[in-house]
Amino acid sequence: MSFALYIAKRYLRSASKNKAINIINRIASLGIVAGSMALFVVLSVFSGLKEFSLSFSTAFDPDIKVENSIGKSFSINPQQERKLSKIKGISSYCKIIEERVLFRFDEKEMVTHIKGVDSSFGQVIPLQKLLYQGNWLMPQTNEVVVGYGVCQKLSLGLYDFNNPLELFVPRPGKGAIDNPDEAFNKTTLAPVGVYAISEDLDGKYVFANLELVQNLLEYPSNQIGSIELKLSAQADEATIKKQLLALFPEPLRVKNRAQLNDSLYKMLNTENVAVYLIFTLVIIIALFNLIGALIMMILDKKNNLKTLYNLGTPVRDLRRIFFWQGTLLSVFGGLFGLLLGVVLVLAQQHFELIMITPTLAYPVVCSLENAAIVMATICILGILASWIASSRVSKKMLD
């Protein structure tokens, strides 16, 4: 153990004869503890809010999606499907077609998206968590699953065979339309299920069988809109994306879950950074107390420092005494504050102390990443504050 560190530990454990200096030291310590605790709690809260928000917006999002960058659809051949199924790390995949269409029910109309899915869709997206009422659609039928918002707007019920749900899709082609009745492909649908996620998503999609949507859009059986994939738990996403790009070259593109919600992720991350900077400023203000406490300690120990200097201790080592004292105070104060923050966050997770609604607790996430950010912030700023304060020790002061 170095001489400076040994003296710093002695100063840290022992109280000063001056009561005012002891009070200042306690205030500085409490500031560090409170700052680190507050920073961890706030980061945990925003992590919880981020996860809570994304749980709604990404309810229908796969782990990876392959889509066309310049059009609505592309063709996939049997050889590509065989290679796709052999890629290590892909748990399952589903072929998708999505199109904006017109729905009509009992003289009410609504324009929204129909999403054609194959029989593997339930292996990519957890359907049981999404269904609010009814059942999922059966393959090779005209059954559909609609959103709760669609049901409300069209006054739609399940298994209402007397009033069918009608679907109209513009017929592809060029030139003038001579007969308005021939401008649309249309069919009748049988709603068998309702999903409920959020207000935005509940009015966005109507799920149908892939073959039905292909026939309405006059697509061949190998033409699809996108491929949605679910990865296994140990899958390497970067490696799989490279293999997919090799299998599906340009103009196809491969997106992960974050890229599918790029604007939402950017907004949430920006808010997180802004809150972090605000609370870091609070910690910086609290560390001014540490600088003041160290300077007061230097003045209080001035005679001791003169004795050590006269015995041959260089000024550099005398500065290190207070540098180590401030650093140790920051580290231990940060650890204690972090421990208190972890206790508060875990208490909120398990006992639901603060509620948003009578049935919904305030979401928080206790993560090692946030703990590392807090300790790194406290240590860096504490070292900087200790260096500033210890630089007050000079040969001129000792003389």
Side-chain angles (χ1 to χ4, degrees):
M1 182 184 299
S2 69
F3 169 76
L5 180 58
Y6 174 77
I7 299 297
K9 290 172 68 176
R10 290 287 300 271
Y11 282 171
L12 192 64
R13 290 195 299 264
S14 61
S16 174
K17 295 179 181 179
N18 191 321
K19 292 183 179 180
I21 293 177
N22 292 331
I23 294 172
I24 293 172
N25 287 336
R26 292 192 188 100
I27 293 173
S29 302
L30 287 174
I32 296 171
V33 171
S36 60
M37 180 185 69
L39 181 59
F40 180 77
V41 169
V42 168
L43 290 178
S44 299
V45 167
F46 268 80
S47 295
L49 290 174
K50 179 179 179 180
E51 188 176 281
F52 182 72
S53 300
L54 291 174
S55 67
F56 293 103
S57 61
T58 63
F60 294 137
D61 289 338
D63 294 330
I64 289 181
K65 185 174 184 179
V66 180
E67 60 185 6
N68 199 334
S69 60
I70 60 174
K72 291 184 177 181
S73 64
F74 62 94
S75 298
I76 179 172
N77 57 52
Q79 184 180 6
Q80 287 176 315
E81 284 205 59
R82 285 194 297 270
K83 290 182 178 179
L84 178 62
S85 61
K86 293 179 180 179
I87 294 178
K88 187 177 180 181
I90 295 179
S91 175
S92 58
Y93 69 92
C94 172
K95 292 179 285 187
I96 303 289
I97 294 178
E98 186 176 331
E99 186 60 67
R100 192 170 178 85
V101 297
L102 172 66
F103 291 95
R104 186 166 66 187
F105 178 79
D106 195 21
E107 298 183 356
K108 295 181 180 180
E109 297 180 347
M110 180 180 184
V111 177
T112 189
H113 293 82
I114 188 166
K115 189 167 184 175
V117 299
D118 65 19
S119 57
S120 300
F121 185 70
Q123 301 172 17
V124 178
I125 304 296
L127 301 178
Q128 297 303 320
K129 294 181 180 180
L130 307 180
L131 278 176
Y132 172 73
Q133 186 179 6
N135 302 299
W136 189 251
L137 49 91
M138 296 293 293
Q140 298 179 346
T141 64
N142 279 24
E143 295 178 349
V144 292
V145 173
V146 299
Y148 188 74
V150 177
C151 288
Q152 285 187 316
K153 188 164 185 177
L154 296 179
S155 301
L156 187 65
L158 301 184
Y159 302 103
D160 187 357
F161 300 107
N162 294 324
N163 297 303
L165 174 64
E166 295 180 296
L167 167 64
F168 297 85
V169 181
R171 180 170 291 172
K174 298 179 180 179
I177 299 174
D178 297 327
N179 187 355
D181 294 333
E182 297 178 357
F184 294 90
N185 290 328
K186 54 186 178 181
T187 188
T188 57
L189 305 171
V192 296
V194 178
Y195 70 85
I197 304 297
S198 65
E199 185 176 350
D200 293 334
L201 291 176
D202 291 349
K204 185 175 181 180
Y205 291 118
V206 172
F207 290 93
N209 281 295
L210 180 67
E211 296 82 4
L212 172 65
V213 180
Q214 284 177 326
N215 292 333
L216 287 169
L217 297 174
E218 299 181 9
Y219 282 178
S221 59
N222 66 336
Q223 189 172 358
I224 58 176
S226 62
I227 301 175
E228 297 185 352
L229 303 99
K230 180 177 178 60
L231 305 184
S232 59
Q234 305 299 326
D236 185 352
E237 183 181 294
T239 302
I240 292 175
K241 287 181 71 173
K242 289 180 181 178
Q243 292 177 290
L244 291 173
L245 288 171
L247 183 59
F248 300 103
E250 294 289 345
L252 299 185
R253 59 187 176 187
V254 179
K255 290 185 174 182
N256 58 19
R257 193 184 294 268
Q259 291 169 330
L260 289 171
N261 298 275
D262 188 44
S263 58
L264 179 60
Y265 273 89
K266 285 182 179 179
M267 181 190 72
L268 293 173
N269 288 335
T270 301
E271 290 179 352
N272 207 2
V273 170
V275 171
Y276 167 75
L277 293 176
I278 291 171
F279 273 82
T280 299
L281 180 61
V282 173
I283 293 175
I284 291 173
I285 295 172
L287 287 173
F288 277 111
N289 292 327
L290 175 63
I291 295 174
L294 289 176
I295 292 175
M296 293 297 292
M297 182 67 71
I298 291 171
L299 296 175
D300 184 57
K301 302 295 184 181
K302 185 175 180 180
N303 292 330
N304 294 344
L305 296 178
K306 284 184 177 181
T307 302
L308 292 173
Y309 178 70
N310 292 329
L311 289 173
T313 305
V315 175
R316 181 180 65 253
D317 287 347
L318 297 178
R319 288 174 179 169
R320 286 176 180 172
I321 293 173
F322 298 98
F323 173 80
W324 279 115
Q325 184 180 356
T327 300
L328 291 173
L329 189 62
S330 300
V331 171
F332 289 124
L335 286 173
F336 187 67
L338 180 61
L339 179 62
L340 291 177
V342 170
V343 170
L344 287 175
V345 171
L346 292 178
Q348 174 64 16
Q349 284 183 334
H350 290 87
F351 302 110
E352 299 181 348
L353 304 176
I354 301 175
M355 307 293 290
I356 299 177
T357 67
T359 58
L360 179 62
Y362 216 98
V364 291
V365 173
C366 187
S367 67
L368 289 175
E369 181 183 358
N370 288 338
I373 291 172
V374 171
M375 284 309 302
T377 303
I378 291 292
C379 290
I380 291 171
L381 295 177
I383 289 172
L384 180 60
S386 302
W387 177 79
I388 293 172
S390 63
S391 64
R392 304 299 297 176
V393 179
S394 64
K395 186 177 178 180
K396 182 179 179 181
M397 184 193 78
L398 298 174
D399 291 339

